Amino acid sequence: MVRKKTVSLVLGSGGARGIAHIGIIHWLEENGYVIKSITGCSMGALVGGIHAIGKLDEFEEWVRAITMTNMIGLLDLALDSNGLFKGNKIIDTLKALVGEKLIEEMDIPFTAVATDIDSAKEVWIDEGPLFDAIRASISLPLFFTPFKFHGVDLIDGGILNPVPIAPTFSDHTDITIAVNLCGKPKEGLSLSGKEEGESSMLGNAISDFTGKIKSSLPHLKNGMKTRNIVLQSFDAMQGTIARQKIAAYPPDHVLEVPRNLCMILDFDKAAPLIRYGYDLAAERLSGVLDES
């Protein structure tokens, strides 16, 4: 009989690098691991929630095929000082793609982590509509507007906890595996998108878009330079917090994805990101089933 291990899976935040979570999940399922619970933050909440609803294959097919033109078409301008985009188009598109379900009715227990910025506290969402939880958790500051949940404005969970391990403490599983998308940078990393040489296509398109409306959005008046500084700062902040959280609540295994693997908005690189996640899991977790 093939040995199996039950897993509490913690999927961290990190924008487009979160597409690597797909490859990690595939490797786990192909190699004797049974995912019994998922906790996710930001992109980790999105990928984890869609897997928990049983629709990861449909999402993977969509994200592999989507073009930058499609992505720009999904960005609904908010004209709000609290964020550039409402996020409604993306969420509605995903609902149409994979369906909606109450978290408490899903086969795999799931928790999305967001941030109540007013009280500076984490918010764990483990019940209610799945895509309400996802929308709250992905509310990247300046990019998406905050999401009002039960009367509270919530933003990206990565602000306070980019690798949310604590929600797994009550799980009765064999091991906890955490994925940190904000690991230390590595030299020599290079991922190509659908078109060779076109780097950060979505980010550049957003910069062009925001340049046209900067008169009504003065906080973005410096265009691409401001965007890059903000996103790089967010990555660095999350990396520091993630190391602290992992040290305080060490899981059984940590998969570290270098934060310079790609930029937060490099969604044109789905195929190599999925492959990177798959290969990383194979490298770090092969042989774990044989451990006592």
Side-chain angles (χ1 to χ4, degrees):
M1 181 179 292
V2 177
R3 293 189 63 192
K4 293 184 179 292
K5 279 187 182 288
T6 56
V7 175
S8 295
L9 186 59
V10 180
L11 301 178
S13 64
R17 291 189 298 279
I19 297 172
H21 291 319
I22 298 173
I24 291 168
I25 290 171
H26 284 328
W27 189 91
L28 290 172
E29 293 196 320
E30 291 172 10
N31 288 275
Y33 296 84
V34 181
I35 299 169
K36 287 294 188 179
S37 82
I38 299 174
T39 298
C41 176
S42 197
M43 193 65 181
L46 193 156
V47 174
I50 289 175
H51 178 64
I53 207 174
K55 297 291 185 177
L56 189 62
D57 289 344
E58 288 84 347
F59 175 71
E60 179 181 350
E61 182 179 359
W62 177 79
V63 79
R64 282 180 180 271
I66 196 167
T67 66
M68 291 304 102
T69 300
N70 297 147
M71 287 299 296
I72 295 302
L74 292 174
L75 298 176
D76 42 0
L77 187 64
L79 289 176
D80 188 322
S81 61
N82 291 322
L84 260 179
F85 305 106
K86 301 173 186 177
N88 295 337
K89 277 191 176 182
I90 290 177
I91 293 299
D92 289 345
T93 298
L94 292 174
K95 284 182 183 179
L97 179 70
V98 306
E100 173 68 290
K101 202 168 187 178
L102 296 177
I103 295 172
E104 57 268 32
E105 296 176 351
M106 300 194 309
D107 292 335
I108 300 177
F110 171 75
T111 303
V113 176
T115 299
D116 177 350
I117 194 61
D118 290 330
S119 65
K121 292 182 179 179
E122 292 179 35
V123 176
W124 298 357
I125 307 173
D126 57 7
E127 61 181 10
L130 172 63
F131 278 99
D132 281 0
I134 290 172
R135 175 61 182 87
S137 189
I138 67 170
S139 298
L140 182 67
L142 293 183
F143 193 79
F144 286 126
T145 57
F147 182 74
K148 191 170 289 293
F149 184 79
H150 293 171
V152 177
D153 285 334
L154 300 182
I155 62 171
D156 196 300
I159 294 292
L160 294 180
N161 195 351
V163 188
I165 300 165
T168 69
F169 286 172
S170 62
D171 289 351
H172 300 288
T173 53
D174 295 325
I175 57 174
T176 299
I177 298 173
V179 184
N180 176 19
L181 298 179
C182 298
K184 293 181 179 179
K186 288 186 178 180
E187 294 183 3
L189 288 175
S190 178
L191 294 179
S192 61
K194 290 184 176 67
E195 300 294 332
E196 192 66 31
E198 292 186 348
S199 177
S200 295
M201 293 170 63
L202 176 58
N204 293 339
I206 290 172
S207 290
D208 292 341
F209 183 42
T210 56
K212 295 175 183 178
I213 58 172
K214 64 184 180 181
S215 60
S216 60
L217 293 169
H219 61 293
L220 288 170
K221 63 192 291 185
N222 290 321
M224 185 184 298
K225 182 177 180 180
T226 299
R227 175 185 61 83
N228 285 336
I229 290 173
V230 169
L231 296 182
Q232 288 172 3
S233 299
F234 192 63
D235 264 349
M237 177 195 72
Q238 286 192 111
T240 299
I241 297 172
R243 287 193 297 273
Q244 294 171 346
K245 293 292 185 180
I246 291 169
Y249 309 112
D252 297 291
H253 300 277
V254 180
L255 302 181
E256 297 270 355
V257 176
R259 66 175 180 266
N260 66 327
L261 180 64
C262 72
M263 291 292 290
I264 285 178
L265 301 176
D266 284 351
F267 287 95
D268 59 316
K269 299 176 179 178
L273 283 166
I274 292 169
R275 170 52 60 181
Y276 188 93
Y278 189 94
D279 292 344
L280 177 64
E283 175 187 345
R284 295 297 307 276
L285 296 174
S286 293
V288 169
L289 287 179
D290 299 324
E291 297 176 1
S292 58

